[in-house]
Amino acid sequence: MSNNVKPKPRVLVVDDERVIADTLAIILNQHGFEASAVYTGTGAVERAKTIRPDLIISDVIMPDMNGIEAAIHIRGFLPGCKILLFSGQAATADLLESARAQGHEFEILAKPVHPQDLLAKLRE
């Protein structure tokens, strides 16, 4: 007897604002994802090594390691992982430009991101 239940996509939500990370993880869990939250770029890299997510949704500007640096590290050992960045700060443009110059391309959403907009983006 085969079980045709598709595994839920694993999502790692990264934001140093805990309420944002936790809220997004809850919303994603309610909409068919297996989501968990971490609050630092370093934490994201470590957690990604253990849970091997299908998708990472990360803030860019964080105190220890920014989201772009974390994404580049994670892509090094999970090249197929989809990464979606979000930010509400102007400094992000410079960081993204620097990453692009090194050959890294990331999709970015403006913060605050409405949950319905995020869910629509994830279903593309």
Side-chain angles (χ1 to χ4, degrees), residues 44-46 48-50 52-53 70 72-80:
V45 173
E46 292 308 309
K49 287 177 183 172
T50 58
R52 304 190 70 74
I72 291 168
H73 280 294
I74 292 165
R75 279 240 173 105
F77 59 88
L78 286 177

Side-chain angles (χ1 to χ4, degrees), residues 11-124:
V11 182
L12 183 59
V13 180
V14 191
D15 197 320
D16 57 315
E17 292 183 56
R18 288 175 179 259
V19 72
I20 293 174
D22 291 341
T23 302
L24 282 176
I26 289 166
I27 291 166
L28 290 167
N29 282 321
Q30 292 171 341
H31 286 86
F33 296 88
E34 183 184 311
S36 60
V38 294
Y39 314 111
T40 65
T42 306
V45 173
E46 292 308 309
R47 180 74 63 84
K49 287 177 183 172
T50 58
I51 71 167
R52 304 190 70 74
D54 302 298
L55 169 68
I56 294 172
I57 301 169
S58 179
D59 188 15
V60 173
I61 307 297
M62 294 184 287
D64 71 323
M65 175 191 293
N66 74 51
I68 295 171
E69 292 169 330
I72 291 168
H73 280 294
I74 292 165
R75 279 240 173 105
F77 59 88
L78 286 177
C81 183
K82 182 175 179 182
I83 296 172
L84 185 60
L85 302 172
F86 59 93
S87 179
Q89 299 189 27
T92 301
D94 292 337
L95 293 171
L96 273 174
E97 199 52 49
S98 174
R100 280 191 189 109
Q102 298 170 42
H104 302 283
E105 196 64 44
F106 298 106
E107 202 166 345
I108 189 148
L109 292 175
K111 206 175 178 182
V113 64
H114 189 280
Q116 293 306 325
D117 295 339
L118 177 62
L119 290 168
K121 186 63 139 168
L122 298 183
R123 293 195 169 103
E124 285 181 354

